[in-house]
Amino acid sequence: MIYVALASFAFLLALVPLISILYATLLQGYAALSFDFFTKVTPPIGGTGGGILNAIEGSFVMVGIGSIIGVPIGVFAGAYLSEYPGKFAYYVRLLAEVLTGVPSIVTGIFVYELIVASQHRFSALAGGVALGFMMIPIVTISTNESLKLVSSSIREGSLALGISRSKTLIYVLLSTARSGVITGVALSIARVMGETAPLLFTALGSQFLMTGINDPASSLTLLIFDFATSPYENAHVFAWGAALVLLFMVLSLNMIVRAASRLKVTGTE
Amino acid sequence: MHDSSRARQRARLPNFFLILLIIAAFAVPVIVFLMLYEIGNGSIDAMRAFGLSFLVGSDWVPNPANGDPPILGALPAIYGSIVTTTISLILAVPISLGVALFQSELSPRVLRAPSYFLVEMLAAVPSVVYGLWGLLFLVPFMRNYVDSGLKATLGFLPLFYGPASGLGMLTAGVILAIMIIPYGSSVMREVIIAVPRSQREASLALGATNWETIKTSVLPFARTGIIAAVVLAMGRAMGETMAVTMVIGNVARISPSLFLPAYTIPSVIANEFTEVAGNGVYLSALFELGLVLFAIAFIMNLLGRVLIARMAFRAKGETAA
Amino acid sequence: MSKQPTKRNIVPIAIIVVVIVAVIAGAVGYQMMTSTPAQSMTTNQMITGTQSMTTQPAQSMTTTQPPVTILGAGATFPAPLLQTWTVEYNKLNPAVTINYNPIGSGGGIQQITAKTVDFGASDAPLSDAQMQNATGLVLMPETLGGVAITYNLQTYGITNSTTLNFTGDVLAGIYMGQITKWNDAKIQTLNPNVKLPDTAITAVHRSDGSGTTYAFADYLSAVNSDWKTIVGVSTSPTWPVDKTAGGVGAKGNAGVAGTVFQTPAAIGYVDVIYAMGQHLGIGAVKNPAGNFILPTLDTIKNAATAATGNPSPNDLRLHIVNAAGSQSYPIATYTYILVYRDMSALPNMSKDKAQALAKFLWWAVHDGQSYSSALIYVPLPSNIVSADEQLLRSLTYQGQQLITQ
């Protein structure tokens, strides 16, 4: 019996920080919310007023760029891994798992060297590419796993009907595994939305709204980092407000996706 | 005649699509090798300048006073990474195990799904939000309650020497622990669930209680997997950047005291990368640190997965038997 | 083919919602780029409660300026002023967006040398070696300010409105780890009316390459021979206090001020405005004339007047620490904008951008100076403005002079 109590205690202990973070973010961040908060851009250091519009825009745009890069490549790569298993696929899968474990700051300095240093500019594009590189292995692995779950009878049945391999993949398998694939994509989006380190040396940050993807941009995460370490009280309030917005987006995406995936059934016979 | 040309056409289409898939599949290895190339290339200057002594050098002086070339050693950062990771594992492993057991074996069925959900929420919180909470909540908490308590009771130990500002290795270790609990516990839970029923049923058939079964059959069988979870969590902790940078105090120092500000490998890079003042060796040294970090994360990841694969193999073998 | 239960339709809808929002955000962003200026915001009002700056005199820029975005990075010391300038200038010239990123003087020097930004900013004057590395780079002082010694002893009963006295030797002792407690005799004798606590000092310094550090170290070297030999002057020295127990590093002026604010018994050095903004304690430092001086507009101005001299536009690297004068603040420093004399040296530069940047800098050293005082930066002395004008007139793009007035 004590062991049940100990395990329960461990579980509750693990929940304490979660509750503390949610509570703190709600309480402190709520004070920041206002119409201005969502429609104006960040004030200069120490200034008052303003909002986080440029950060929200930057986050969306860079995650968007990352998705455009990460989702198609990840889905196709994952499809390849499940449909054409072999030595090559085995090593690709292994490397994908390794890539998911690479610290995001390493990805950041990699993309700095690849894009920023060679192009001589910090840009939202570079930030988006860094996020895209992070999404590729995640989407690859989750697509692979989802396709693996589709029972082989479906696969074989489709091929037996004379449908070509590519059409089988697109119209039969991927649509059957659709929920799993979308879950993987949504989770990877939620993950990169919360990333900061890869953006530190690529997107750099900006006080203004975006003037193009070849210029630096801000993001919710960069804003939180800058404002949290600032000495000004209203900067802290902004940081909490941005954290509230970010947490809301990330957690709700997570919740929707996980709730829906519990309800799904993937084509088992 | 018609059939053969139609057949040829049909044979061509899949090839095109297949090529698309192969190109996509190539993306992953290309990224990995490109990453190694760029970071390795960036590190060459530092490797030439410092050689192997970079890894054991304990002085981190990027801008010596008289315009002398920088003297850079990675040991303070490596030391800080190791100590904070160790603290986080000491705290997180027992809790992760408890959570994993709770989720898989010991909780009433109706609580299972909510418990999964809650721990996953913990994993979903972005690192920078942990850092924000850490800086504005945890640091004062540690300073006012934990550090002073430790100082009062165990202050004679060199571990707890010095002024406790709340920014330092102990606080960083605590935040890392919180962040790796969901990761560690989910892997442990999976390996515990993967223990074949035959093991459990055999133990129960012999008259063991639920807990005795866990202790004598499930856990020993899952031992490899649990070690794998620890290794994976370790790799995760070593690579964590933002939350640690915000609470560790950012000083290149090697000291036994857990209260004092220090550095970790990722936080050095985060702090100093954009500020590298014009000399190639300094930037190159940061790239070399990035290479070290990559290598550590790679090895941990690989090791963890090998261990899990080994355990899964055993589990399959047992189930078949 | 198997059928799916219909309950799982939430997921695709959620994804579609996210994508639609992203597309809308992107569209809004692009629209804002091409038409309206960056949204207005209130200017700095936090310190003295002064009203927002009066509207500018009618020095209108050309209305046919094509939209340009200029990127600058560097010192955090003048960042409040620089960021105010970019916002105000954008109000006057909506087509010109100047993005200034405070990443520390070291970063500013690095990024402009690497040509990844259009202009840099640094409080630390470049060494001759650094100038060699970045041929064609010129330094233009755009403002000057004071480095305040700030402390947090509120939990020990010393309010932040109590002024503590410091000397250069005491400060050197603290940052060399020789003076470890607040009630050390050397500090206490300077402050006979204050009961200093028997607590360890947490000495906060910069973790990044910093011009503010440079100015502080420059001052300490001038007054303390031990500091000069053991530590010296640089943007990121090895702090002896780190080897003992009391040192903490923070990123940027904001980081140091923030850390001092959060840490009882801490001391730090930051630009005045950062200390005042957070209502931190500010110390009075002994100057060569023997007086304990607080950093104010007047005392910093006195230092500048005494020590600036008449430099040539070819080398405007100035040292005004430890300036003469009975009411001069001893830790004052100029801060510089770093630009290439020949702007075409930058790979991402265009004629329009170069012209816009040159015009902005011209505006900054003239009209921009009216924003300085509210943020406790001293307006440039007139001889420096003239020198800057000469420097700006020498800026070219592909051989063509950029400023013709």
Side-chain angles (χ1 to χ4, degrees):
Chain A
M1 219 36 215
I2 10 165
Y3 299 100
V4 179
L6 272 178
S8 312
F9 177 66
F11 178 69
L12 289 173
L13 200 60
L15 286 189
V16 165
L18 177 67
I19 297 174
S20 176
I21 292 176
L22 290 177
Y23 182 67
T25 309
L26 259 169
L27 210 62
Q28 308 266 4
Y30 185 71
L33 301 182
S34 66
F35 184 67
D36 274 3
F37 191 67
F38 290 102
T39 53
K40 297 213 167 135
V41 296
T42 48
I45 292 185
T48 52
I52 62 170
L53 184 62
N54 52 333
I56 296 177
E57 185 200 30
S59 271
F60 270 114
V61 170
M62 288 194 283
V63 171
I65 295 176
S67 306
I68 292 174
I69 297 176
V71 172
I73 296 182
V75 169
F76 283 155
Y80 177 82
L81 292 185
S82 69
E83 296 312 302
Y84 297 91
K87 212 146 163 245
F88 176 58
Y90 174 73
Y91 284 113
V92 170
R93 170 71 195 239
L94 191 64
L95 285 175
E97 292 181 357
V98 163
L99 210 49
T100 55
V102 168
S104 56
I105 194 161
V106 175
T107 312
I109 62 178
F110 163 53
V111 176
Y112 172 84
E113 190 71 359
L114 191 67
I115 300 185
V116 177
S118 54
Q119 289 225 333
H120 292 278
R121 70 193 338 160
F122 292 95
S123 59
L125 180 64
V129 166
L131 295 183
F133 282 176
M134 291 186 69
M135 285 178 79
I136 288 177
I138 301 176
V139 177
T140 302
I141 293 176
S142 68
T143 306
N144 188 9
E145 291 297 322
S146 307
L147 283 172
K148 274 206 272 189
L149 287 177
V150 175
S151 73
S152 53
S153 49
I154 292 186
R155 194 177 278 115
E156 285 159 15
S158 166
L159 291 172
L161 285 172
I163 304 176
S164 66
R165 275 193 104 154
S166 57
K167 287 212 177 90
T168 303
L169 182 61
I170 304 174
Y171 292 109
V172 179
L173 297 172
L174 278 178
S175 74
T176 309
R178 182 170 37 196
S179 288
V181 172
I182 290 180
T183 302
V185 167
L187 289 179
S188 71
I189 289 179
R191 164 85 191 272
V192 295
M193 196 160 238
E195 284 291 336
T196 321
L199 301 178
L200 285 175
F201 326 122
T202 47
L204 199 64
S206 163
Q207 295 169 265
F208 300 101
L209 289 176
M210 285 183 63
T211 47
I213 58 172
N214 276 317
D215 292 316
S218 181
S219 78
L220 285 169
T221 50
L222 287 174
L223 186 147
I224 296 173
F225 181 56
D226 283 334
F227 281 34
T229 48
S230 160
Y232 301 104
E233 200 46 50
N234 57 326
H236 290 175
V237 171
F238 264 43
W240 283 113
L244 183 59
V245 172
L246 184 62
L247 259 190
F248 175 74
M249 290 198 295
V250 167
L251 288 185
S252 45
L253 200 55
N254 260 282
M255 286 197 277
I256 294 173
V257 156
R258 288 183 202 272
S261 71
R262 298 244 159 83
L263 297 170
K264 80 179 186 330
V265 171
T266 8
T268 46
E269 305 274 301
Chain B
M1 290 295 132
H2 288 296
D3 289 326
S4 65
S5 72
R6 184 78 68 77
R8 250 181 281 131
Q9 246 187 351
R10 218 181 291 133
R12 248 181 275 144
L13 275 176
N15 273 333
F16 165 72
F17 192 68
L18 180 61
I19 289 174
L20 200 63
L21 291 187
I22 293 182
I23 293 177
F26 260 105
V28 169
V30 162
I31 292 177
V32 174
F33 289 119
L34 207 58
M35 194 180 284
L36 278 172
Y37 171 70
E38 292 282 11
I39 298 183
N41 203 13
S43 325
I44 288 185
D45 287 339
M47 291 201 259
R48 258 193 231 130
F50 302 115
L52 272 175
S53 65
F54 181 69
L55 294 175
V56 293
S58 52
D59 288 315
W60 183 264
V61 187
N63 283 315
N66 311 313
D68 288 343
I71 306 168
L72 298 169
L75 200 58
I78 295 177
Y79 174 79
S81 278
I82 292 179
V83 171
T84 50
T85 303
T86 309
I87 296 174
S88 72
L89 287 176
I90 292 175
L91 293 172
V93 169
I95 299 181
S96 292
L97 195 54
V99 171
L101 284 173
F102 182 83
Q103 290 179 323
S104 59
E105 306 267 340
L106 297 176
S107 64
R109 292 234 162 225
V110 69
L111 288 181
R112 296 273 163 97
S115 71
Y116 280 42
F117 172 76
L118 285 170
V119 175
E120 279 164 5
M121 289 303 106
L122 200 58
V125 174
S127 169
V128 73
V129 175
Y130 272 113
L132 174 67
W133 171 81
L135 193 56
L136 300 181
F137 268 75
L138 187 64
V139 165
F141 175 76
M142 294 292 290
R143 175 175 64 234
N144 295 326
Y145 299 104
V146 179
D147 291 353
S148 47
L150 282 169
K151 250 187 138 27
T153 50
L154 298 170
F156 55 90
L157 287 174
L159 273 181
F160 300 120
Y161 150 88
S165 60
L167 295 167
M169 294 200 280
L170 186 60
T171 310
V174 169
I175 265 202
L176 276 180
I178 299 172
M179 294 176 77
I180 62 177
I181 285 173
Y183 191 51
S185 69
S186 79
V187 176
M188 288 187 198
R189 179 187 67 224
E190 294 302 321
V191 304
I192 289 174
I193 288 179
V195 173
R197 293 193 142 229
S198 54
Q199 294 284 321
R200 292 198 179 92
E201 284 165 8
S203 171
L204 289 170
L206 288 171
T209 65
N210 209 6
W211 171 249
E212 279 171 358
T213 305
I214 295 177
K215 198 165 70 152
T216 57
S217 297
V218 176
L219 285 182
F221 195 92
R223 187 177 46 207
T224 317
I226 292 179
I227 295 178
V230 173
V231 170
L232 287 172
M234 202 189 320
R236 186 64 195 276
M238 294 214 98
E240 176 48 51
T241 314
M242 300 317 298
V244 172
T245 304
M246 289 162 90
V247 302
I248 193 145
N250 302 313
V251 170
R253 165 195 278 134
I254 301 178
S255 152
S257 171
L258 298 179
F259 289 155
L260 296 182
Y263 249 154
T264 61
I265 301 176
S267 76
V268 174
I269 302 176
N271 263 310
E272 305 197 2
F273 197 79
T274 41
E275 278 102 55
V276 178
N279 49 43
V281 174
Y282 187 12
L283 183 64
S284 184
L286 290 178
F287 269 107
E288 197 175 341
L289 278 178
L291 197 59
V292 169
L293 196 56
F294 183 93
I296 294 176
F298 177 81
I299 294 173
M300 298 276 164
N301 229 297
L302 209 54
L303 189 59
R305 290 181 199 279
V306 162
L307 289 174
I308 288 183
R310 183 175 300 176
M311 195 206 130
F313 186 67
R314 263 185 78 204
K316 272 208 198 109
E318 291 288 327
T319 323
Chain C
M1 264 182 268
S2 62
K3 294 277 186 286
Q4 301 271 1
T6 48
K7 267 194 179 155
R8 55 99 184 95
N9 281 320
I10 317 171
V11 171
I13 292 176
I15 302 312
I16 292 172
V17 166
V18 167
V19 168
I20 287 178
V21 177
V23 167
I24 292 178
V28 166
Y30 269 87
Q31 222 203 15
M32 307 217 106
M33 156 182 84
T34 49
S35 51
T36 56
Q39 291 304 302
S40 62
M41 58 214 80
T42 65
T43 49
N44 289 314
Q45 291 179 320
M46 26 115 226
I47 308 302
T48 50
T50 50
Q51 287 310 295
S52 61
M53 292 302 128
T54 54
T55 53
Q56 288 307 289
Q59 185 177 30
S60 60
M61 302 288 163
T62 79
T63 46
T64 52
Q65 167 80 52
V68 288
T69 305
I70 298 171
L71 177 59
T76 55
F77 183 88
L81 185 59
L82 286 178
Q83 286 189 336
T84 305
W85 279 345
T86 56
V87 164
E88 292 301 320
Y89 193 72
N90 181 265
K91 283 187 204 163
L92 293 170
N93 300 279
V96 179
T97 308
I98 302 161
N99 191 353
Y100 180 70
N101 277 290
I103 59 176
S105 299
I109 298 176
Q110 158 65 7
Q111 298 303 334
I112 191 68
T113 309
K115 301 186 179 148
T116 40
V117 293
D118 301 316
F119 70 92
S122 163
D123 329 309
L126 269 67
S127 67
D128 292 328
Q130 285 169 321
M131 297 291 292
Q132 293 266 19
N133 252 344
T135 42
L137 200 61
V138 293
L139 277 76
M140 187 193 85
E142 85 274 15
T143 189
L144 64 133
V147 179
I149 302 298
T150 175
Y151 46 85
N152 179 0
L153 290 166
Q154 290 197 293
T155 48
Y156 301 97
I158 299 174
T159 67
N160 284 343
S161 49
T162 311
T163 304
L164 293 180
N165 292 331
F166 296 95
T167 62
D169 288 325
V170 160
L171 291 169
I174 293 175
Y175 279 90
M176 285 201 288
Q178 294 162 349
I179 300 179
T180 53
K181 292 217 162 165
W182 275 105
N183 63 349
D184 187 295
K186 297 204 183 90
I187 313 181
Q188 188 69 77
T189 48
L190 298 173
N191 298 279
N193 301 326
V194 182
K195 178 142 186 353
L196 292 169
D198 180 27
T199 336
I201 307 179
T202 300
V204 186
H205 58 77
R206 293 286 288 271
S207 61
D208 49 336
S210 157
T212 315
T213 300
Y214 185 94
F216 186 51
D218 199 8
Y219 164 70
L220 292 177
S221 287
V223 299
N224 185 291
S225 52
D226 278 345
W227 184 275
K228 188 167 177 177
T229 42
I230 299 176
V231 188
V233 187
S234 82
T235 52
S236 53
T238 314
W239 300 92
V241 71
D242 285 348
K243 293 277 191 283
T244 62
V248 174
K251 199 161 133 87
N253 264 288
V256 173
T259 307
V260 172
F261 178 69
Q262 307 243 355
T263 311
I267 191 173
Y269 57 91
V270 290
D271 174 83
V272 182
I273 195 73
Y274 288 90
M276 293 182 74
Q278 215 37 46
H279 307 289
L280 292 172
I282 298 181
V285 186
K286 194 172 184 188
N287 69 1
N291 300 321
F292 289 96
I293 306 288
L294 279 169
T296 67
L297 269 179
D298 290 325
T299 59
I300 302 170
K301 192 188 260 178
N302 291 338
T305 316
T308 304
N310 240 331
S312 119
N314 290 325
D315 190 351
L316 288 166
R317 295 180 285 176
L318 303 158
H319 293 258
I320 56 172
V321 290
N322 217 28
S326 65
Q327 293 298 309
S328 296
Y329 186 65
I331 323 180
T333 179
Y334 275 92
T335 176
Y336 313 90
I337 299 258
L338 310 168
V339 280
Y340 282 94
R341 183 168 265 134
D342 175 16
M343 297 257 202
S344 35
L346 291 166
N348 287 314
M349 194 48 91
S350 69
K351 178 103 197 282
D352 293 326
K353 269 173 79 165
Q355 216 151 31
L357 178 56
K359 289 208 174 107
F360 166 69
L361 292 176
W362 185 272
W363 175 88
V365 300
H366 293 100
D367 295 341
Q369 299 295 307
S370 61
Y371 293 95
S372 312
S373 308
L375 299 172
I376 324 288
Y377 297 96
V378 173
L380 293 172
S382 50
N383 64 334
I384 299 295
V385 176
S386 307
D388 283 351
E389 283 175 354
Q390 269 195 285
L391 206 56
L392 286 171
R393 286 198 195 100
S394 75
L395 296 177
T396 62
Y397 182 80
Q398 286 174 348
Q400 272 216 314
Q401 209 183 348
L402 291 170
I403 301 275
T404 44
Q405 54 188 108

